[in-house]
Coordinates of all heavy atoms in Angstrom, one line a residue:
M1044 N 0.8 -1.2 0.0 CA 0.0 0.0 0.0 C 0.9 1.3 0.0 O 1.7 1.4 0.8 CB -0.9 0.0 1.3 CG -2.1 -0.9 1.2 SD -3.2 -0.4 -0.1 CE -4.5 0.3 0.9
L1045 N 0.6 2.2 -0.9 CA 1.4 3.4 -1.0 C 0.7 4.6 -0.3 O 1.3 5.6 -0.1 CB 1.7 3.8 -2.4 CG 2.6 2.8 -3.1 CD1 2.7 3.1 -4.6 CD2 4.0 2.9 -2.5
L1046 N -0.6 4.3 0.1 CA -1.3 5.5 0.7 C -0.9 5.6 2.2 O -0.8 4.7 2.9 CB -2.8 5.2 0.6 CG -3.4 5.4 -0.8 CD1 -4.9 5.1 -0.8 CD2 -3.2 6.8 -1.3
M1047 N -0.6 6.9 2.6 CA -0.3 7.2 4.0 C -1.2 8.3 4.4 O -1.5 9.2 3.7 CB 1.1 7.6 4.1 CG 2.1 6.6 4.4 SD 3.5 7.3 5.1 CE 4.7 7.2 3.8
P1048 N -1.7 8.3 5.6 CA -2.5 9.4 6.1 C -1.6 10.7 6.1 O -0.4 10.6 6.4 CB -2.7 9.0 7.6 CG -2.4 7.6 7.7 CD -1.4 7.2 6.7
S1049 N -2.2 11.8 5.7 CA -1.4 13.0 5.5 C -0.7 13.4 6.8 O 0.3 14.1 6.7 CB -2.2 14.1 4.9 OG -3.3 14.3 5.7
A1050 N -1.3 13.2 7.9 CA -0.7 13.6 9.2 C 0.7 13.0 9.3 O 1.6 13.6 9.8 CB -1.6 13.2 10.4
V1051 N 0.8 11.7 8.9 CA 2.1 11.0 9.1 C 3.1 11.7 8.2 O 4.3 11.9 8.6 CB 1.9 9.5 8.7 CG1 3.3 8.9 8.6 CG2 1.0 8.8 9.6
I1052 N 2.7 12.0 7.0 CA 3.7 12.7 6.1 C 4.1 14.0 6.6 O 5.3 14.3 6.6 CB 3.0 12.8 4.7 CG1 2.8 11.4 4.1 CG2 3.9 13.7 3.7 CD1 1.9 11.4 2.8
T1053 N 3.2 14.8 7.1 CA 3.5 16.1 7.6 C 4.5 16.0 8.8 O 5.5 16.7 8.8 CB 2.2 16.8 8.1 OG1 1.3 16.8 7.1 CG2 2.5 18.3 8.5
T1054 N 4.2 15.1 9.7 CA 5.1 14.9 10.8 C 6.5 14.5 10.4 O 7.5 15.0 10.9 CB 4.6 13.8 11.8 OG1 3.2 14.1 12.0 CG2 5.4 13.8 13.1
A1055 N 6.6 13.6 9.4 CA 7.9 13.1 8.9 C 8.7 14.3 8.3 O 9.9 14.4 8.5 CB 7.7 12.0 7.8
Q1056 N 8.0 15.1 7.5 CA 8.7 16.3 6.9 C 9.2 17.2 8.0 O 10.3 17.7 8.0 CB 7.8 17.0 6.0 CG 7.6 16.2 4.7 CD 6.5 16.8 3.8 OE1 5.7 17.6 4.3 NE2 6.5 16.5 2.5
A1057 N 8.3 17.5 9.0 CA 8.7 18.4 10.1 C 9.9 17.9 10.8 O 10.8 18.6 11.1 CB 7.5 18.6 11.0
S1058 N 9.9 16.6 11.1 CA 11.0 16.1 11.9 C 12.3 16.0 11.1 O 13.4 16.2 11.6 CB 10.7 14.8 12.6 OG 10.9 13.7 11.7
D1059 N 12.1 15.9 9.8 CA 13.3 15.9 8.9 C 14.0 17.3 8.9 O 15.2 17.4 9.0 CB 12.9 15.5 7.5 CG 14.0 15.3 6.6 OD1 14.9 14.5 7.0 OD2 14.1 15.9 5.5
K1060 N 13.1 18.3 8.8 CA 13.6 19.7 8.8 C 14.3 20.0 10.1 O 15.4 20.5 10.2 CB 12.5 20.7 8.6 CG 12.9 22.1 8.6 CD 11.8 23.1 8.7 CE 12.4 24.5 8.8 NZ 11.6 25.4 9.6
Y1061 N 13.7 19.6 11.2 CA 14.2 19.8 12.5 C 15.5 19.1 12.7 O 16.5 19.7 13.3 CB 13.2 19.3 13.6 CG 13.7 19.1 14.9 CD1 14.1 20.2 15.7 CD2 13.9 17.8 15.4 CE1 14.6 20.0 17.0 CE2 14.4 17.6 16.7 CZ 14.8 18.7 17.4 OH 15.3 18.4 18.7
E1062 N 15.6 17.9 12.2 CA 16.9 17.2 12.3 C 18.0 17.9 11.6 O 19.2 17.9 12.1 CB 16.7 15.7 11.9 CG 17.1 14.8 12.9 CD 16.5 13.4 12.8 OE1 16.8 12.8 11.8 OE2 15.7 13.1 13.7
K1063 N 17.7 18.4 10.4 CA 18.8 19.1 9.7 C 19.2 20.3 10.5 O 20.4 20.6 10.5 CB 18.2 19.5 8.3 CG 18.2 18.4 7.3 CD 18.0 18.9 5.9 CE 17.7 17.7 5.0 NZ 16.4 17.9 4.3
L1064 N 18.3 21.0 11.1 CA 18.6 22.2 11.9 C 19.5 21.8 13.0 O 20.5 22.4 13.3 CB 17.3 22.9 12.4 CG 16.5 23.7 11.4 CD1 15.2 24.1 12.0 CD2 17.3 24.9 10.9
A1065 N 19.0 20.7 13.7 CA 19.8 20.3 14.9 C 21.2 19.9 14.6 O 22.1 20.2 15.3 CB 19.0 19.2 15.6
N1066 N 21.3 19.3 13.4 CA 22.7 18.9 12.9 C 23.6 20.1 12.7 O 24.8 20.1 13.0 CB 22.6 18.0 11.7 CG 22.2 16.6 12.0 OD1 22.3 16.1 13.1 ND2 21.6 15.9 11.0
M1067 N 22.9 21.1 12.1 CA 23.7 22.3 11.8 C 24.2 22.9 13.1 O 25.3 23.3 13.2 CB 22.8 23.3 11.1 CG 23.4 24.7 10.8 SD 22.4 25.8 9.9 CE 21.1 26.1 11.2
C1068 N 23.3 23.0 14.1 CA 23.7 23.6 15.4 C 24.8 22.8 16.0 O 25.8 23.3 16.6 CB 22.6 23.6 16.4 SG 21.0 24.2 15.8
S1069 N 24.7 21.5 15.9 CA 25.7 20.6 16.5 C 27.0 20.7 15.9 O 28.1 20.5 16.6 CB 25.2 19.1 16.4 OG 24.0 18.9 17.1
A1070 N 27.1 21.1 14.6 CA 28.4 21.2 14.0 C 29.2 22.3 14.7 O 30.5 22.1 14.8 CB 28.2 21.7 12.5
C1071 N 28.6 23.3 15.3 CA 29.4 24.2 16.1 C 29.3 24.0 17.6 O 30.3 24.0 18.3 CB 28.9 25.6 15.8 SG 29.4 26.2 14.1
H1072 N 28.1 23.8 18.0 CA 27.8 23.7 19.5 C 28.1 22.3 20.1 O 28.1 22.2 21.3 CB 26.4 24.2 19.8 CG 26.2 25.6 19.6 ND1 26.7 26.6 20.5 CD2 25.6 26.3 18.6 CE1 26.4 27.8 20.1 NE2 25.8 27.7 18.9
G1073 N 28.3 21.3 19.2 CA 28.6 20.0 19.7 C 27.3 19.1 19.7 O 26.2 19.7 19.9
Q1074 N 27.5 17.9 19.5 CA 26.4 16.9 19.4 C 25.4 17.0 20.6 O 24.2 17.1 20.4 CB 27.0 15.5 19.3 CG 26.0 14.5 18.9 CD 25.3 14.7 17.5 OE1 24.2 15.1 17.4 NE2 26.1 14.5 16.5
D1075 N 26.0 17.1 21.8 CA 25.1 17.2 23.0 C 25.1 18.6 23.5 O 24.7 18.8 24.7 CB 25.6 16.2 24.0 CG 26.9 16.5 24.6 OD1 27.6 17.5 24.1 OD2 27.4 15.8 25.5
G1076 N 25.6 19.6 22.8 CA 25.6 20.9 23.3 C 26.8 21.4 24.0 O 26.9 22.5 24.4
S1077 N 27.8 20.5 24.1 CA 29.1 20.9 24.6 C 30.1 20.7 23.5 O 30.1 19.8 22.8 CB 29.5 20.1 25.9 OG 29.7 18.8 25.6
N1078 N 31.0 21.7 23.4 CA 32.0 21.6 22.3 C 33.4 22.1 22.8 O 33.5 22.6 23.9 CB 31.5 22.5 21.2 CG 31.5 24.0 21.5 OD1 32.6 24.6 21.4 ND2 30.4 24.5 21.9
A1079 N 34.4 21.8 21.9 CA 35.7 22.1 22.3 C 36.3 23.4 21.7 O 37.4 23.7 21.8 CB 36.6 21.0 21.8
F1080 N 35.4 24.2 21.0 CA 35.9 25.5 20.4 C 35.9 26.6 21.5 O 34.9 26.8 22.2 CB 34.9 25.9 19.3 CG 34.8 24.9 18.2 CD1 33.7 24.1 18.0 CD2 35.9 24.7 17.3 CE1 33.6 23.2 17.0 CE2 35.8 23.8 16.3 CZ 34.6 23.0 16.1
N1081 N 36.9 27.3 21.6 CA 37.1 28.4 22.6 C 36.0 29.5 22.4 O 35.7 30.2 23.4 CB 38.5 29.0 22.5 CG 39.5 28.1 23.1 OD1 39.2 27.3 24.0 ND2 40.7 28.2 22.6
T1082 N 35.6 29.7 21.2 CA 34.8 30.9 20.9 C 33.3 30.6 20.8 O 32.5 31.4 20.6 CB 35.2 31.6 19.6 OG1 35.2 30.6 18.6 CG2 36.6 32.2 19.7
I1083 N 32.9 29.3 21.0 CA 31.5 28.9 20.9 C 31.0 28.4 22.2 O 31.6 27.5 22.9 CB 31.4 27.8 19.8 CG1 31.9 28.3 18.5 CG2 29.9 27.3 19.7 CD1 31.8 27.3 17.4
P1084 N 29.9 29.1 22.7 CA 29.4 28.7 24.0 C 28.8 27.3 24.1 O 28.2 26.8 23.1 CB 28.3 29.8 24.3 CG 28.0 30.4 23.0 CD 29.2 30.2 22.1
D1085 N 29.0 26.6 25.2 CA 28.3 25.4 25.4 C 26.8 25.6 25.6 O 26.5 26.5 26.4 CB 28.9 24.7 26.6 CG 30.2 24.1 26.4 OD1 30.6 23.9 25.2 OD2 30.9 23.8 27.4
L1086 N 26.0 24.9 25.0 CA 24.5 25.0 25.3 C 24.0 24.0 26.3 O 22.9 24.1 26.8 CB 23.7 24.8 24.0 CG 24.1 25.8 22.8 CD1 23.2 25.5 21.6 CD2 24.0 27.3 23.2
K1087 N 24.9 23.0 26.5 CA 24.5 21.9 27.3 C 24.1 22.4 28.7 O 24.9 23.1 29.4 CB 25.6 20.9 27.5 CG 25.2 19.6 28.1 CD 26.3 18.6 28.1 CE 25.9 17.3 28.6 NZ 26.9 16.2 28.5
W1088 N 22.9 22.0 29.2 CA 22.4 22.3 30.5 C 22.1 23.8 30.7 O 21.8 24.2 31.8 CB 23.3 21.8 31.6 CG 23.6 20.4 31.6 CD1 24.8 19.7 31.5 CD2 22.6 19.3 31.5 NE1 24.7 18.4 31.4 CE2 23.3 18.1 31.4 CE3 21.2 19.3 31.5 CZ2 22.7 16.8 31.3 CZ3 20.6 18.0 31.4 CH2 21.3 16.8 31.3
Q1089 N 22.2 24.6 29.7 CA 21.8 26.0 29.8 C 20.3 26.0 30.0 O 19.6 25.1 29.5 CB 22.2 26.7 28.5 CG 22.1 28.2 28.6 CD 22.7 28.8 29.8 OE1 22.1 28.9 30.8 NE2 24.0 29.2 29.6
N1090 N 19.8 27.0 30.7 CA 18.3 27.0 30.9 C 17.6 27.1 29.6 O 17.9 27.8 28.7 CB 18.0 28.3 31.7 CG 18.4 28.2 33.2 OD1 18.4 27.1 33.7 ND2 18.7 29.3 33.8
R1091 N 16.5 26.4 29.6 CA 15.6 26.4 28.4 C 15.1 27.8 28.0 O 15.2 28.2 26.9 CB 14.4 25.4 28.6 CG 13.6 25.2 27.5 CD 12.5 24.1 27.8 NE 11.6 24.0 26.6 CZ 10.6 24.8 26.4 NH1 10.3 25.7 27.3 NH2 9.8 24.6 25.3
E1092 N 14.6 28.5 29.1 CA 14.1 29.8 28.8 C 15.2 30.8 28.3 O 15.0 31.6 27.5 CB 13.6 30.4 30.1 CG 12.3 29.7 30.7 CD 11.3 29.5 29.6 OE1 11.0 30.5 28.8 OE2 10.8 28.4 29.5
Y1093 N 16.4 30.6 28.8 CA 17.5 31.4 28.4 C 17.8 31.1 26.9 O 18.0 32.1 26.1 CB 18.8 31.1 29.2 CG 20.0 31.9 28.7 CD1 20.2 33.2 29.0 CD2 20.9 31.2 28.0 CE1 21.3 33.9 28.5 CE2 22.0 31.9 27.5 CZ 22.2 33.2 27.7 OH 23.3 33.9 27.3
L1094 N 17.9 29.8 26.5 CA 18.2 29.5 25.1 C 17.1 30.1 24.2 O 17.5 30.7 23.2 CB 18.2 28.0 24.9 CG 19.3 27.2 25.7 CD1 19.1 25.7 25.5 CD2 20.6 27.6 25.1
I1095 N 15.9 30.0 24.6 CA 14.8 30.6 23.7 C 15.0 32.1 23.6 O 14.9 32.7 22.6 CB 13.4 30.2 24.3 CG1 13.2 28.7 24.2 CG2 12.3 30.9 23.5 CD1 12.0 28.2 25.0
S1096 N 15.2 32.8 24.8 CA 15.3 34.2 24.8 C 16.5 34.7 23.9 O 16.4 35.7 23.2 CB 15.4 34.8 26.2 OG 16.6 34.6 26.7
Q1097 N 17.6 33.9 24.0 CA 18.7 34.3 23.2 C 18.5 34.2 21.7 O 18.9 35.0 20.8 CB 20.0 33.6 23.6 CG 20.5 33.9 25.0 CD 20.5 35.4 25.2 OE1 21.2 36.1 24.6 NE2 19.8 35.9 26.2
L1098 N 17.8 33.1 21.3 CA 17.4 32.9 19.9 C 16.5 34.0 19.4 O 16.7 34.5 18.3 CB 16.8 31.5 19.7 CG 17.8 30.3 19.9 CD1 17.1 29.0 19.8 CD2 18.9 30.3 18.8
H1099 N 15.6 34.4 20.2 CA 14.7 35.5 19.9 C 15.5 36.8 19.7 O 15.3 37.5 18.8 CB 13.7 35.8 21.0 CG 12.5 34.8 21.0 ND1 11.7 34.6 22.1 CD2 12.0 34.0 20.0 CE1 10.8 33.7 21.8 NE2 11.0 33.4 20.6
A1100 N 16.5 37.0 20.6 CA 17.3 38.2 20.6 C 18.1 38.2 19.3 O 18.3 39.3 18.7 CB 18.2 38.3 21.8
F1101 N 18.7 37.1 18.9 CA 19.5 37.0 17.7 C 18.6 37.3 16.5 O 18.9 38.1 15.6 CB 20.1 35.7 17.5 CG 21.3 35.4 18.3 CD1 21.4 34.3 19.1 CD2 22.4 36.3 18.3 CE1 22.6 34.0 19.9 CE2 23.6 36.0 19.0 CZ 23.6 34.9 19.8
K1102 N 17.4 36.7 16.5 CA 16.5 36.9 15.3 C 16.0 38.3 15.2 O 15.9 38.8 14.1 CB 15.3 35.9 15.4 CG 14.5 35.9 14.2 CD 13.5 34.8 14.2 CE 12.7 34.8 12.8 NZ 11.8 33.7 12.7
S1103 N 15.7 38.9 16.3 CA 15.2 40.3 16.3 C 16.3 41.3 16.1 O 16.0 42.5 15.8 CB 14.5 40.6 17.6 OG 15.4 40.8 18.6
G1104 N 17.6 40.9 16.2 CA 18.7 41.9 16.1 C 19.1 42.5 17.4 O 20.0 43.3 17.4
K1105 N 18.4 42.2 18.5 CA 18.8 42.8 19.8 C 20.2 42.3 20.2 O 21.0 43.0 20.8 CB 17.8 42.3 20.8 CG 17.1 43.5 21.6 CD 16.3 43.0 22.8 CE 15.0 42.4 22.4 NZ 14.3 41.7 23.5
R1106 N 20.4 41.0 19.9 CA 21.8 40.5 20.1 C 22.4 40.2 18.7 O 21.7 39.6 17.9 CB 21.7 39.2 20.9 CG 23.1 38.6 21.2 CD 23.1 37.5 22.2 NE 24.4 36.8 22.3 CZ 24.7 35.8 23.1 NH1 23.8 35.3 23.9 NH2 25.9 35.3 23.1
Q1107 N 23.6 40.7 18.5 CA 24.2 40.6 17.2 C 25.4 39.6 17.2 O 26.3 39.7 18.1 CB 24.7 41.9 16.7 CG 23.7 43.0 16.6 CD 23.0 43.0 15.2 OE1 23.5 42.4 14.3 NE2 21.9 43.8 15.1
D1108 N 25.4 38.7 16.3 CA 26.6 37.9 16.1 C 26.6 37.5 14.6 O 25.6 37.2 14.0 CB 26.6 36.6 16.9 CG 27.8 35.7 16.7 OD1 28.9 36.1 17.0 OD2 27.6 34.6 16.1
I1109 N 27.8 37.6 14.0 CA 27.9 37.4 12.5 C 27.3 36.0 12.1 O 26.7 35.9 11.0 CB 29.3 37.6 12.1 CG1 29.4 37.7 10.5 CG2 30.2 36.5 12.6 CD1 30.6 38.4 10.0
T1110 N 27.4 35.0 12.9 CA 26.9 33.7 12.6 C 25.5 33.5 13.1 O 24.6 33.2 12.3 CB 27.8 32.6 13.2 OG1 29.1 32.8 12.9 CG2 27.3 31.2 12.8
M1111 N 25.3 33.8 14.4 CA 24.0 33.4 15.0 C 22.9 34.3 14.5 O 21.7 33.8 14.5 CB 24.1 33.5 16.5 CG 24.8 32.3 17.2 SD 24.2 30.7 16.6 CE 22.5 30.8 17.2
T1112 N 23.1 35.5 14.1 CA 22.1 36.3 13.6 C 21.5 35.7 12.3 O 20.3 35.6 12.2 CB 22.6 37.8 13.3 OG1 23.1 38.3 14.5 CG2 21.5 38.7 12.8
K1113 N 22.4 35.2 11.5 CA 22.0 34.5 10.3 C 21.3 33.2 10.6 O 20.2 32.9 10.0 CB 23.1 34.2 9.3 CG 23.6 35.5 8.6 CD 24.6 35.1 7.5 CE 25.5 36.2 7.1 NZ 26.9 36.0 7.5
V1114 N 21.8 32.4 11.5 CA 21.2 31.2 11.8 C 19.8 31.4 12.4 O 18.9 30.7 12.0 CB 22.1 30.4 12.9 CG1 21.4 29.2 13.5 CG2 23.4 30.0 12.3
A1115 N 19.7 32.3 13.3 CA 18.4 32.5 13.9 C 17.3 32.9 12.9 O 16.1 32.6 13.1 CB 18.5 33.5 15.1
Q1116 N 17.7 33.6 11.9 CA 16.8 34.0 10.9 C 16.1 32.8 10.2 O 15.0 32.9 9.6 CB 17.4 34.9 9.9 CG 16.8 36.3 10.0 CD 17.9 37.4 10.1 OE1 18.9 37.4 9.4 NE2 17.7 38.3 11.1
L1117 N 16.8 31.7 10.2 CA 16.2 30.5 9.6 C 15.2 29.8 10.4 O 14.5 28.9 10.0 CB 17.3 29.4 9.3 CG 18.5 29.8 8.5 CD1 19.6 28.7 8.6 CD2 18.1 30.1 7.1
L1118 N 15.1 30.2 11.7 CA 14.3 29.4 12.7 C 12.9 30.0 12.8 O 12.7 31.2 13.0 CB 15.0 29.4 14.0 CG 16.4 28.9 14.0 CD1 17.0 29.0 15.4 CD2 16.5 27.5 13.5
S1119 N 11.9 29.1 12.8 CA 10.5 29.5 13.2 C 10.4 29.5 14.7 O 11.3 28.9 15.4 CB 9.5 28.6 12.6 OG 9.6 27.3 13.2
E1120 N 9.3 30.0 15.2 CA 9.1 29.9 16.7 C 9.1 28.5 17.2 O 9.7 28.2 18.2 CB 7.7 30.5 16.9 CG 7.3 30.7 18.4 CD 8.2 31.7 19.1 OE1 8.7 32.7 18.5 OE2 8.5 31.5 20.3
E1121 N 8.5 27.6 16.4 CA 8.5 26.2 16.8 C 9.9 25.6 16.8 O 10.2 24.8 17.7 CB 7.5 25.4 15.9 CG 7.1 24.1 16.5 CD 6.6 23.1 15.4 OE1 6.2 23.5 14.3 OE2 6.7 21.9 15.7
D1122 N 10.6 25.9 15.8 CA 12.0 25.4 15.7 C 12.8 25.8 16.9 O 13.5 25.0 17.5 CB 12.8 26.0 14.5 CG 12.2 25.6 13.1 OD1 11.6 24.5 13.1 OD2 12.3 26.3 12.2
M1123 N 12.6 27.1 17.4 CA 13.4 27.5 18.5 C 13.0 26.7 19.8 O 13.9 26.4 20.6 CB 13.1 29.0 18.8 CG 13.6 29.9 17.7 SD 13.4 31.6 18.2 CE 13.7 32.4 16.6
L1124 N 11.7 26.5 19.9 CA 11.2 25.8 21.1 C 11.8 24.3 21.1 O 12.3 23.8 22.1 CB 9.7 25.7 21.2 CG 9.0 27.1 21.3 CD1 7.5 26.9 21.3 CD2 9.5 27.8 22.5
R1125 N 11.7 23.7 19.9 CA 12.2 22.3 19.8 C 13.7 22.3 20.0 O 14.3 21.4 20.7 CB 11.9 21.7 18.5 CG 10.3 21.5 18.3 CD 10.0 20.7 17.2 NE 10.5 19.3 17.4 CZ 10.4 18.3 16.5 NH1 9.7 18.5 15.4 NH2 10.9 17.1 16.8
L1126 N 14.5 23.2 19.5 CA 15.9 23.2 19.6 C 16.3 23.5 21.0 O 17.3 22.9 21.6 CB 16.5 24.2 18.6 CG 16.4 23.7 17.2 CD1 16.7 24.9 16.2 CD2 17.3 22.5 16.9
A1127 N 15.6 24.4 21.7 CA 15.8 24.7 23.1 C 15.6 23.4 23.9 O 16.4 23.1 24.8 CB 15.0 25.8 23.6
D1128 N 14.6 22.7 23.7 CA 14.3 21.4 24.3 C 15.5 20.5 24.1 O 16.0 19.8 25.0 CB 13.1 20.7 23.8 CG 11.8 21.3 24.4 OD1 11.9 22.0 25.4 OD2 10.7 21.1 23.8
H1129 N 15.9 20.4 22.8 CA 16.9 19.5 22.4 C 18.2 19.7 23.2 O 18.8 18.9 23.8 CB 17.2 19.6 20.9 CG 18.3 18.9 20.4 ND1 18.2 17.6 19.9 CD2 19.6 19.2 20.2 CE1 19.3 17.1 19.4 NE2 20.2 18.1 19.7
F1130 N 18.6 21.0 23.2 CA 19.9 21.3 23.9 C 19.8 21.4 25.4 O 20.8 21.2 26.1 CB 20.5 22.6 23.3 CG 21.1 22.3 21.9 CD1 20.5 22.9 20.8 CD2 22.2 21.5 21.7 CE1 21.0 22.6 19.5 CE2 22.7 21.2 20.5 CZ 22.1 21.8 19.4
Y1131 N 18.6 21.8 25.9 CA 18.4 21.8 27.3 C 18.5 20.3 27.9 O 19.2 20.1 28.9 CB 17.1 22.4 27.6 CG 16.7 22.3 29.1 CD1 17.5 22.9 30.1 CD2 15.6 21.6 29.5 CE1 17.2 22.8 31.4 CE2 15.3 21.5 30.9 CZ 16.1 22.1 31.8 OH 15.8 22.0 33.1
A1132 N 18.0 19.4 27.1 CA 18.1 18.0 27.5 C 19.5 17.5 27.5 O 19.9 16.6 28.2 CB 17.2 17.2 26.6
G1133 N 20.3 18.2 26.7 CA 21.7 17.9 26.7 C 22.1 16.5 26.1 O 23.1 15.9 26.4
K1134 N 21.2 16.0 25.3 CA 21.5 14.7 24.7 C 21.0 14.6 23.3 O 20.1 15.4 22.9 CB 20.8 13.6 25.6 CG 19.3 13.7 25.6 CD 18.7 12.8 26.6 CE 17.2 12.9 26.6 NZ 16.6 12.8 27.9
K1135 N 21.5 13.6 22.6 CA 21.1 13.4 21.2 C 19.6 13.1 21.1 O 19.1 12.3 21.9 CB 21.9 12.3 20.6 CG 22.3 12.6 19.2 CD 23.2 11.6 18.7 CE 22.9 11.3 17.2 NZ 22.8 10.0 16.8
D1136 N 18.9 13.7 20.2 CA 17.5 13.5 20.0 C 17.2 12.2 19.3 O 17.0 12.2 18.1 CB 16.8 14.7 19.3 CG 15.3 14.5 19.2 OD1 14.8 13.9 20.1 OD2 14.8 15.1 18.3
S1137 N 17.2 11.1 20.0 CA 17.1 9.8 19.3 C 15.7 9.2 19.7 O 15.4 8.1 19.2 CB 18.2 8.8 19.7 OG 18.3 8.7 21.1
S1138 N 15.0 9.8 20.6 CA 13.8 9.2 21.1 C 12.6 9.4 20.2 O 11.5 8.8 20.5 CB 13.5 9.7 22.5 OG 13.4 11.1 22.5
E1139 N 12.7 10.2 19.2 CA 11.4 10.5 18.4 C 11.4 9.7 17.2 O 12.3 9.6 16.5 CB 11.4 12.0 18.1 CG 10.9 12.8 19.3 CD 10.8 14.3 18.9 OE1 11.7 15.0 19.0 OE2 9.6 14.7 18.6
Ligands
HEC1388 C1 28.9 28.3 12.5 C2 28.8 28.0 13.9 C3 27.4 28.1 14.6 C4 26.3 27.4 14.3 C5 26.0 26.6 13.0 C6 25.3 27.7 15.3 N1 25.9 28.5 16.3 FE1 24.9 29.2 18.0 N2 26.6 30.3 18.4 C7 27.8 30.3 17.7 C8 28.6 31.3 18.3 C9 30.0 31.7 17.8 C10 27.9 31.9 19.4 C11 28.4 33.0 20.3 C12 27.9 34.3 19.8 C13 28.3 35.5 20.6 O1 29.5 35.6 20.9 O2 27.4 36.4 20.8 C14 26.7 31.2 19.5 C15 25.7 31.5 20.4 C16 24.5 30.8 20.5 C17 23.6 30.9 21.6 C18 23.7 31.8 22.8 C19 24.5 31.0 23.9 C20 24.8 31.8 25.1 O3 25.4 31.3 26.0 O4 24.4 33.0 25.2 C21 22.5 30.1 21.4 C22 21.3 29.8 22.3 C23 22.8 29.4 20.2 N3 24.0 29.8 19.7 C24 22.0 28.4 19.6 C25 22.2 27.8 18.3 C26 21.3 27.0 17.7 C27 19.9 26.5 18.2 C28 21.8 26.7 16.5 C29 21.2 25.9 15.3 C30 19.9 26.3 14.8 C31 23.1 27.3 16.4 N4 23.3 28.0 17.5 C32 24.0 27.2 15.3 C33 28.1 29.5 16.6 C34 27.2 28.7 15.9

């Protein structure tokens, strides 16, 4: 059978997009949010509210960074919440 309920397809696409985003963040911030680069902050165990507020600040231009300003512009509100959950949890998102 090739027919799938559309809700399943929508969820699969959304999680695919989210995974690509999370992989991009991990390239700099580290797979679990901790990294070895001197100039990149660890996100691991950072407060969830703080992560969200900083992403908002980058997107709105209140906080400026040559990289993060561009990155935040790619993120929807939902992406920010999910990514904050992801890095707050401090572990690879393998449970979904
Ligand atoms: C090319 C490298 C790079 C990528 C990719 C990247 N970041 Fe960043 N991120 C940085 C750097 C560098 C900073 C520090 C910016 C500054 O000094 O203000 C930062 C800062 C942050 C901060 C603020 C941390 C703090 O302690 O204040 C958050 C939150 C954040 N990034 C989340 C993300 C998320 C979520 C993604 C993926 C959507 C992402 N970053 C992708 C390099 C990156």
